[in-house]
Amino acid sequence: MRRPLLVLAYCCIWSTPFQVGIVLWAMGVVISTDVTILSLTNDIFVNEYLPKFYMFIKPLTYFIFPDAFADFIWSLPTVIHQILKAIVSTWLGLWMLPIAKRMPEKKLA
């Protein structure tokens, strides 16, 4: 159980710069266009600025999650969603890392 927790903790921590980059990119879009922080939703941002990713990920979210939850995720404001996601994932990774490091390693016989 130690190795998967370490991998998850490091992924949470290492993804923070990418999430901050998306926040800065979305803030640049808000500053340079007519959209506001609340009107720039995940759906609009990903559709306009990452169209190849959008064509793959949007149907996948509706396949994985219930339609109402997927609609909710896509309708969230990008800047607020990414800031909260960056804070929570970084905190989760930093909280999980010492716990995973203290766990004993299983030795295979």
Side-chain angles (χ1 to χ4, degrees):
M1 189 68 183
R2 178 185 175 174
R3 188 168 307 264
L5 283 179
L6 281 171
V7 169
L8 183 62
Y10 281 123
C11 284
C12 286
I13 294 168
W14 290 341
S15 68
T16 302
F18 297 108
Q19 294 172 358
V20 170
I22 291 174
V23 169
L24 294 175
W25 185 9
M27 285 302 296
V29 169
V30 167
I31 291 169
S32 63
T33 62
D34 290 337
V35 296
T36 64
I37 288 178
L38 294 177
S39 69
L40 184 62
T41 63
N42 288 327
D43 193 24
I44 295 168
F45 181 76
V46 177
N47 186 24
E48 288 190 19
Y49 297 100
L50 300 166
K52 300 259 187 218
F53 181 67
Y54 181 79
M55 290 182 339
F56 170 73
I57 199 71
K58 183 145 185 187
L60 186 64
T61 57
Y62 281 96
F63 179 73
I64 294 173
F65 300 118
D67 288 352
F69 186 67
D71 284 338
F72 172 72
I73 296 292
W74 284 105
S75 67
L76 289 172
T78 302
V79 175
I80 296 169
H81 180 219
Q82 288 297 323
I83 288 172
L84 291 175
K85 196 165 71 163
I87 291 169
V88 169
S89 73
T90 304
W91 172 82
L92 182 66
L94 292 174
W95 174 75
M96 205 178 337
L97 190 59
I99 293 171
K101 283 185 174 183
R102 282 191 305 248
M103 292 177 86
E105 263 189 74
K106 271 190 176 177
K107 303 255 179 176
L108 296 176

